[in-house]
Amino acid sequence: MITENEREKLAMISGEEARENVSELIIPIDRTAGSEAEHEGARKVKGKLETYVDSCELEGVPVTVYTKTEGRLEVVFPVQVSIPCAATRLAGSGSGTVTLLDAGHGRAADYNNLGSDINSAAVLATCKSPTASISERASMCLEARNHKASCLLYNTPEKDDNVVSAHVSNINFPALSISNRAAADLRSLLAEHGEVKINFESNLESADSTTYNVVGNIVGSKYPNEVIYITAHHDSWFYGANDNMSSVACLLETAKIFNKYRPRRTIRFVIFGSEESGGKAEESAQFGECGSAGYCKAHYEALTGQLDEIPICIINGEFMGYSQLMDAMCSPELIPGAREVASDLGEYARAVEPTPYWYLSDQVQFHLRGVSSIMFWMTPDLGTGRRSPFFAFYHSDGDNMDMIKAKALKKNAELMALMAMRFDSVDFPYSLETLRDAAVRGTGCLMNSDRIRQVYDEKVKQCLEEESREEKLRQILSLVRAVNMKIYTFVERGFVNKFEVINDAIEKLRDAANIVEVEGSIGRARDVLVTIENAARYLEWSREVTDQADRRAQVFLDLRGIFTAIDQQESAELVLKKIRVKLKEARQLAQNWSEGFEEALAK
């Protein structure tokens, strides 16, 4: 229940004032990482924040700045017509007049259907996933490049029919994003005339630059060395009204409260640059989150408990100006407290475990260092899982002030502020019970599962017996760090519990081996194996693409050899041998992970 004191504080929040701040701060537009527009945007944000905080500064982080190019695309045969497009950021340069071919979804099988004679044609492909994941776009570019195409044209089904979105691929290959309507029109021309020629141009220039994080502090009145982070990012594609200046506006409303009603703990507001881009093409899977990654690298010792400063949690905002339906995605130890806040605020917010979108914003860089984390993200439809209508205009010039609702800003600023006030007001905002659930989930099949539970319970008992409040807090946070740093791993769909995915893989490999050995059915075994996390990539993409993608991502279990043997119709004996080799590898990996986790818990 919200107290009268909390109501008094929350009454300071103004949705109209927050909307005015969004309107002011989205100028200049297209504040891409390291650009002069982003630098000007950071200075404007600093000017707003410094009126509420004790200290405020810009912290620079090295990034790569990419010159904006609109891209150019026109049909020159059998008709002449210009097609709106957006050059994919971080993709390569190219131009020419070439034949256009329909590459379906841009997978290996689609190119096989085209035959071997791509002959430097441009290829048209529709993202298979409606939401077009980052890895999917990168793989589409790799597939087109490796088949000797000259350019990729692609569209994203989730978008509004006429919306042209800005995307990144981080692959050195020219790629142009087009609308769903334009893709349909091009396919109609191909169906009617058989041959279509286009003229395209995509130019990309890059240079070393700097992005700036805006860092402001309100020093705690009682525990100044304990820090609650409240964060958002200020860079954008196009206007970036909802993504993500809306969250900056909610942060400013929260800062307004803590400026008048001093917190017990230090509140550190960090508004990151370079969330959308800034990484070097082809060098890393991380093309964005460079501002937060740079901050975490510069402050690593403080974030991992090696200094006097104690990081309590991070509360990070995304997309807070369009809808009042928000998920507060939480690392496990914060879920009970966050659920209480969401419940007290009414029917619109809910606290949940991280979804696949968890890895798409800045709090993940803190989570990787073990810091308790929350990210606000628009709630998908319950039951259908469909995302908010906003995403039809996401990363396009449609993300403008038409997306921003004062009512949503007010409600979501209340969510951010009340979450921070509650976590500031209690000595220990962590649930050791839900943390334990996360710590032991998926460990049942591990050789040391009993030992993991025992060590965890011993550490909790030790924490509870500690008389010093600060030492108790530090010991609790050492447990939090161990779980958050050792339990989770990146896979293609985001952050997942590594023990759940490895045990799932072991079970399925074992089932597949039994099917081949007893029944001799390679087809049934293949159907089981394809359901293992990340396995489908080896069926959809060519070997060259998966080789390059695997070098850029954390692939915990490479199943390509098994699928190659199956697809080449090798003997059941050879397929079984390969499955058993991979099963042994998976069991060893599980053992290495579990021993590392036990060691981390015991520290």
Side-chain angles (χ1 to χ4, degrees):
M1 182 179 295
I2 299 177
T3 67
E4 285 303 313
N5 180 266
E6 289 170 338
R7 290 187 189 282
E8 181 181 342
K9 294 174 180 178
L10 294 177
M12 295 181 63
I13 291 173
S14 167
E16 293 296 337
E17 185 175 332
R19 194 174 191 279
E20 289 176 9
N21 277 331
V22 174
S23 180
E24 291 179 33
L25 292 173
I26 60 172
I27 306 299
I29 65 171
D30 203 14
R31 300 174 304 283
T32 54
S35 65
E36 285 302 317
E38 192 210 34
H39 295 167
E40 181 180 344
R43 291 190 292 270
K44 289 180 69 174
V45 168
K46 178 176 181 289
K48 293 281 188 181
L49 181 61
E50 63 189 0
T51 61
Y52 300 123
V53 296
D54 301 332
S55 62
C56 193
E57 59 184 351
L58 298 176
E59 289 190 8
V61 175
V63 295
T64 300
V65 61
Y66 294 89
T67 302
K68 178 184 177 182
T69 173
E70 298 291 347
R72 182 173 58 82
L73 178 63
E74 56 186 354
V75 177
V76 296
F77 179 85
V79 296
Q80 290 191 328
V81 59
S82 294
I83 297 178
C85 66
T88 298
R89 314 303 172 89
L90 280 70
S93 299
S95 63
T97 301
V98 295
T99 299
L100 178 66
L101 300 176
D102 186 352
H105 291 301
R107 267 49 173 181
D110 297 307
Y111 285 93
N112 293 338
N113 292 335
L114 287 174
S116 59
D117 190 20
I118 303 298
N119 195 26
S120 298
V123 291
L124 169 65
T126 296
C127 296
K128 192 172 183 179
S129 164
T131 57
S133 69
I134 297 164
S135 59
E136 179 181 8
R137 292 195 301 269
S139 294
M140 289 170 69
C141 287
L142 282 169
E143 200 72 66
R145 187 175 75 182
N146 288 333
H147 280 87
K148 311 302 181 185
S150 61
C151 177
L152 171 69
L153 314 181
Y154 67 94
N155 62 299
T156 307
E158 183 185 42
K159 301 301 179 187
D160 190 72
D161 280 352
N162 293 307
V163 165
V164 178
S165 299
H167 291 297
V168 292
S169 77
N170 205 18
I171 301 298
N172 186 18
F173 181 76
L176 299 173
S177 170
I178 61 176
S179 70
N180 292 320
R181 180 66 54 79
D185 290 345
L186 288 173
R187 287 195 166 98
S188 294
L189 283 174
L190 283 166
E192 182 178 354
H193 298 279
E195 182 181 10
V196 172
K197 288 190 176 182
I198 64 164
N199 187 280
F200 77 93
E201 183 175 358
S202 175
N203 297 312
L204 179 75
E205 296 180 0
S206 64
D208 292 337
S209 187
T210 302
T211 193
Y212 290 98
N213 299 324
V214 183
V215 183
N217 289 288
I218 296 178
V219 178
S221 60
K222 189 172 183 180
Y223 306 119
N225 67 320
E226 298 176 15
V227 180
I228 294 173
Y229 286 86
I230 302 178
T231 65
H233 71 85
H234 62 75
D235 65 313
S236 73
W237 303 122
F238 301 104
Y239 298 95
N242 197 38
D243 180 20
N244 190 37
M245 205 54 76
S246 63
S247 300
V248 174
C250 290
L251 179 151
L252 292 171
E253 292 301 300
T254 302
K256 185 197 306 182
I257 293 173
F258 284 114
N259 173 261
K260 181 175 181 180
Y261 300 95
R262 303 294 293 191
R264 301 193 314 158
R265 295 180 163 110
T266 292
I267 307 295
R268 182 163 299 154
F269 301 93
V270 188
I271 307 171
F272 300 108
S274 189
E275 192 267 357
E276 304 284 7
S277 66
K280 291 186 180 295
E282 306 244 15
E283 288 190 6
S284 169
Q286 183 186 306
F287 62 87
E289 298 172 15
C290 296
S292 54
Y295 182 91
C296 290
K297 181 178 180 180
H299 301 276
Y300 179 80
E301 291 182 334
L303 293 174
T304 53
Q306 300 177 52
L307 302 179
D308 288 341
E309 186 171 294
I310 303 174
I312 299 300
C313 65
I314 176 174
I315 301 170
N316 181 53
E318 284 277 3
F319 312 146
M320 299 180 74
Y322 179 78
S323 171
Q324 296 170 241
L325 294 169
M326 296 295 289
D327 278 350
M329 299 184 206
C330 307
S331 48
E333 65 283 356
L334 295 181
I335 287 178
R339 281 183 175 157
E340 184 176 288
V341 171
S343 175
D344 286 349
L345 282 173
E347 60 187 310
Y348 296 112
R350 66 182 188 188
V352 298
E353 292 185 356
T355 75
Y357 302 119
W358 176 256
Y359 76 109
L360 292 177
S361 193
D362 293 305
Q363 88 293 328
V364 79
Q365 297 297 326
F366 287 71
H367 192 202
L368 286 167
R369 277 78 178 178
V371 178
S372 292
S373 305
I374 290 179
M375 177 179 72
F376 298 130
W377 185 277
M378 284 186 294
T379 302
D381 298 343
L382 292 178
T384 69
R386 292 169 62 184
R387 300 203 293 178
S388 165
F390 163 74
F391 287 98
F393 304 94
Y394 170 58
H395 282 186
S396 78
D397 59 5
D399 184 10
N400 52 40
M401 289 305 296
D402 292 342
M403 296 290 109
I404 303 302
K405 314 292 192 292
K407 189 175 182 180
L409 287 170
K410 177 175 173 56
K411 197 72 178 179
N412 294 330
E414 289 175 354
L415 177 64
M416 175 179 275
L418 186 58
M419 201 80 75
M421 289 190 298
R422 291 277 178 87
F423 291 162
D424 178 56
S425 66
V426 296
D427 282 346
F428 308 106
Y430 316 105
S431 167
L432 297 181
E433 182 177 347
T434 55
L435 188 67
R436 186 184 193 277
D437 290 343
V440 302
R441 188 191 306 163
T443 61
C445 297
L446 303 177
M447 295 293 290
N448 65 338
S449 60
D450 290 340
R451 180 62 183 155
I452 286 173
R453 288 169 167 79
Q454 181 183 349
V455 171
Y456 182 89
D457 291 340
E458 288 173 353
K459 295 294 287 188
V460 169
K461 183 179 179 182
Q462 182 180 332
C463 290
L464 297 179
E465 291 175 348
E466 180 60 54
E467 293 184 3
S468 165
R469 176 194 165 280
E470 181 170 317
E471 186 56 34
K472 180 184 291 187
L473 179 60
R474 289 186 181 277
Q475 289 191 25
I476 289 173
L477 287 177
S478 72
L479 270 180
V480 168
R481 265 192 304 277
V483 174
N484 286 337
M485 294 178 74
K486 294 295 184 178
I487 281 286
Y488 300 99
T489 188
F490 271 119
V491 296
E492 191 162 323
R493 64 184 172 94
F495 251 169
V496 295
N497 181 308
K498 61 171 63 177
F499 298 116
E500 289 182 327
V501 297
I502 197 64
N503 285 327
D504 177 72
I506 288 170
E507 290 289 321
K508 289 172 179 174
L509 284 163
R510 191 169 57 192
D511 285 355
N514 182 69
I515 290 169
V516 175
E517 183 177 20
V518 176
E519 303 176 22
S521 176
I522 294 177
R524 277 193 62 217
R526 184 184 187 276
D527 291 342
V528 171
L529 294 169
V530 76
T531 64
I532 294 175
E533 188 77 53
N534 276 357
R537 70 193 307 166
Y538 300 112
L539 302 178
E540 293 193 331
W541 306 105
S542 65
R543 184 183 183 92
E544 294 82 4
V545 170
T546 54
D547 281 347
Q548 289 169 306
D550 287 354
R551 285 196 294 270
R552 293 155 41 83
Q554 292 186 18
V555 177
F556 70 93
L557 209 58
D558 182 348
L559 302 176
R560 177 177 45 241
I562 298 175
F563 288 118
T564 299
I566 293 173
D567 292 343
Q568 292 179 355
Q569 298 183 337
E570 299 285 357
S571 67
E573 183 180 359
L574 179 60
V575 171
L576 179 60
K577 181 179 179 180
K578 288 182 177 292
I579 292 174
R580 284 175 171 165
V581 167
K582 197 56 62 175
L583 178 57
K584 182 178 179 181
E585 179 184 323
R587 284 171 171 155
Q588 184 61 56
L589 187 58
Q591 181 178 337
N592 294 342
W593 281 351
S594 60
E595 289 175 353
F597 183 40
E598 180 185 331
E599 182 181 344
L601 284 175
K603 285 184 178 178

